[in-house]
């Protein structure tokens, strides 16, 4: 009886965690699109910078003030050698996502973001010469095919927005690959990742945002927008962006890998539906079919990766990524027990 009650509580906790994750993710996307389209605040660098500032403050409060997560200590030398390059790519990823939201509908942008598994596999194959099971390559076929069908039939297609979203996928994949090599030896969670990366990203983005978008923001302020509500929405999206990172950490620890993958794909469907209800961007039938094919391919990809990871040691499996020279570089103080 006790085991049944614990199982029910585990299921309820997982469902609540997924719903929380969906809520934060969809809300952040919708708010950013609202900022660019409805408020006419067309400054993606500034919005990204505000997000990083809010995330840095939020991570500091969680770790240093509330002490909800222990701080993973990273030596100053490792911060510049290992975390700064990841922060730069992380910064590019967020900026490209916001740029794409300015020019293309949320539904199209979210579908293109589903291309990330394919770009990750291709980059690891090209850069690391990593070999993958044929089932992995087969799972990429519906992902690529669905993206192509969606792009061809997209009624609000914009080349600049499409390229920004596509290069955002490449930036996401690059960040994942860098994390494997640069952070070898550190067991980072999402909050500690934000704690170290957000200040670097703010530093990287602050000057370009000021130089490139400062005059435009001054002009926008002269149009007499409702400053109080605009301030609340823009900074509110930054606070929710940090909450999204926290919810991702909670979902990963509350669910299995397959559940997380399926929930992620369903989240895209929820975001597409909510954005259509709010912004009413036109979606053709073939466009919706292309989006569905992409999500099915992503689900199949996640299932195949999970099945391969569950293989017994005696069976053939995907070879480990060969270690490059950077991965062999020792940490300044490579003692995990001092950092967890």
């Amino acid at each position: 009886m006790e085991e049944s009650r614990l199982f029910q509580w585990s299921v309820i906790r997982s469902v609540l965690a997924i719903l929380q994750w969906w809520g934060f993710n969809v809300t952040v996307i919708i708010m950013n699109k609202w900022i660019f389209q409805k408020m006419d605040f067309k400054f993606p660098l500034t919005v990204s910078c505000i997000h990083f500032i809010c995330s840095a403050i939020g991570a500091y409060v969680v770790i240093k003030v509330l002490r909800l997560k222990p701080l993973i200590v990273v030596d100053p030398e490792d911060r510049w050698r290992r975390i700064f390059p990841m922060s730069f790519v992380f910064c590019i990823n967020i900026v490209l996502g916001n740029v794409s939201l300015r020019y293309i509908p949320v539904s199209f942008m979210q579908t293109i973001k589903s291309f990330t598994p394919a770009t990750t596999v291709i980059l690891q194959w090209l850069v690391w010469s990593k070999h993958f099971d044929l089932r992995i390559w087969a799972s990429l076929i519906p992902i690529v095919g669905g993206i192509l069908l969606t792009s061809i039939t997209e009624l609000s297609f914009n080349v600049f927005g499409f390229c920004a979203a596509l290069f955002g996928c490449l930036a996401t994949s690059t960040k994942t690959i860098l994390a494997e090599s640069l952070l070898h030896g550190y067991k980072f969670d999402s909050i500690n990742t934000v704690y170290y990366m957000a200040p670097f990203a703010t530093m990287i983005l602050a000057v370009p945002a000021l130089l490139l978008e400062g005059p435009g923001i001054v002009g926008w302020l002269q149009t007499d927008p409702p400053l109080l509500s605009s301030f609340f929405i823009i900074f509110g999206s930054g606070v929710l962006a940090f909450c999204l990172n926290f919810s991702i950490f909670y979902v990963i620890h509350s669910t299995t890998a397959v559940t997380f993958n399926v929930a992620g794909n369903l989240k895209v469907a929820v975001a597409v539906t909510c954005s259509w209800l709010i912004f009413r961007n036109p979606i053709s039938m073939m466009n919706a079919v292309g989006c569905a094919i992409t999500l099915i391919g992503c689900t199949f990809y996640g299932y195949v990766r999970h099945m391969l990871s569950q293989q017994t040691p005696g069976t053939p499996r995907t070879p480990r990524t060969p270690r490059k020279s950077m991965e062999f570089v020792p940490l300044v103080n490579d003692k995990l027990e001092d950092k967890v």
Side-chain angles (χ1 to χ4, degrees):
M1 187 67 179
E2 186 66 24
E3 291 183 358
S4 175
R5 188 174 300 173
L6 289 175
F7 176 76
Q8 291 176 355
W9 169 243
S10 176
V11 172
I12 293 174
R13 186 179 63 179
S14 299
V15 171
L16 291 176
I18 291 172
L19 292 176
Q20 182 188 58
W21 174 38
W22 283 2
F24 283 132
N25 187 276
V26 173
T27 305
V28 169
I29 293 172
I30 297 300
M31 287 184 71
N32 286 351
K33 186 64 177 178
W34 187 277
I35 290 169
F36 296 134
Q37 182 172 322
K38 299 297 185 178
M39 292 171 48
D40 201 34
F41 189 84
K42 301 184 183 300
F43 310 105
L45 294 180
T46 302
V47 172
S48 300
C49 193
I50 292 173
H51 281 196
F52 289 133
I53 293 173
C54 293
S55 295
I57 296 173
Y60 180 86
V61 171
V62 168
I63 293 176
K64 292 288 191 177
V65 179
L66 301 178
R67 300 185 183 277
L68 297 178
K69 288 294 298 179
L71 175 65
I72 299 175
V73 180
V74 180
D75 299 283
E77 183 178 344
D78 280 336
R79 295 182 191 182
W80 287 99
R81 282 196 311 159
R82 297 170 181 260
I83 297 178
F84 181 79
M86 283 187 58
S87 302
F88 184 77
V89 179
F90 179 59
C91 183
I92 293 175
N93 176 36
I94 299 299
V95 169
L96 288 175
N98 284 331
V99 169
S100 65
L101 273 178
R102 176 182 170 182
Y103 291 100
I104 60 178
V106 173
S107 57
F108 190 32
M109 178 264 198
Q110 285 288 289
T111 306
I112 298 173
K113 292 290 286 184
S114 301
F115 192 61
T116 301
T119 56
T120 302
V121 170
I122 293 171
L123 280 176
Q124 286 184 315
W125 176 60
L126 291 175
V127 178
W128 263 272
S129 300
K130 183 173 182 177
H131 300 284
F132 291 92
D133 189 278
L134 287 177
R135 287 170 289 180
I136 292 290
W137 291 108
S139 68
L140 299 183
I141 295 176
I143 296 177
V144 176
I147 293 293
L148 290 175
L149 180 60
T150 304
S151 301
I152 293 173
T153 59
E154 174 58 45
L155 299 177
S156 304
F157 184 85
N158 179 280
V159 175
F160 190 73
F162 172 79
C163 291
L166 188 60
F167 281 107
C169 293
L170 292 173
T172 302
S173 301
T174 303
K175 178 170 67 72
T176 302
I177 295 173
L178 284 175
E180 181 181 348
S181 58
L182 295 181
L183 296 182
H184 178 66
Y186 285 110
K187 302 294 183 180
F188 265 23
D189 53 59
S190 62
I191 299 301
N192 274 276
T193 300
V194 172
Y195 179 85
Y196 285 108
M197 292 175 60
F200 275 132
T202 302
M203 180 181 65
I204 293 169
L205 201 56
V207 175
L210 182 63
L211 294 178
L212 297 177
E213 297 181 347
I217 294 175
V218 173
W220 179 79
L221 291 172
Q222 292 175 350
T223 61
D224 294 324
L227 289 180
L228 185 60
S229 61
S230 300
F231 178 86
F232 178 79
I233 293 174
I234 293 173
F235 278 89
S237 69
V239 173
L240 289 174
F242 164 74
C243 294
L244 174 60
N245 285 293
F246 194 85
S247 65
I248 290 173
F249 166 78
Y250 187 54
V251 169
I252 290 173
H253 283 264
S254 302
T255 63
T256 63
V258 174
T259 303
F260 181 74
N261 178 262
V262 174
N265 294 323
L266 291 176
K267 175 212 60 174
V268 175
V270 172
V272 169
T273 303
C274 291
S275 68
W276 180 80
L277 291 174
I278 295 175
F279 298 104
R280 294 293 180 176
N281 55 286
I283 302 177
S284 66
M285 179 59 68
M286 293 305 295
N287 188 268
V289 170
C291 180
I293 292 174
T294 301
L295 296 182
I296 292 172
C298 290
T299 303
F300 180 52
Y301 168 83
Y303 174 75
V304 170
R305 291 299 295 258
H306 175 73
M307 293 300 294
L308 291 174
S309 68
Q310 297 300 310
Q311 286 181 340
T312 58
T315 58
R317 60 185 300 170
T318 306
R320 187 194 182 279
T321 302
R323 290 190 173 186
K324 296 295 183 181
S325 57
M326 184 62 189
E327 196 171 356
F328 280 119
V329 175
L331 300 178
V332 176
N333 289 309
D334 196 6
K335 295 181 179 180
L336 286 180
E337 61 269 22
D338 295 336
K339 297 177 171 60
V340 178

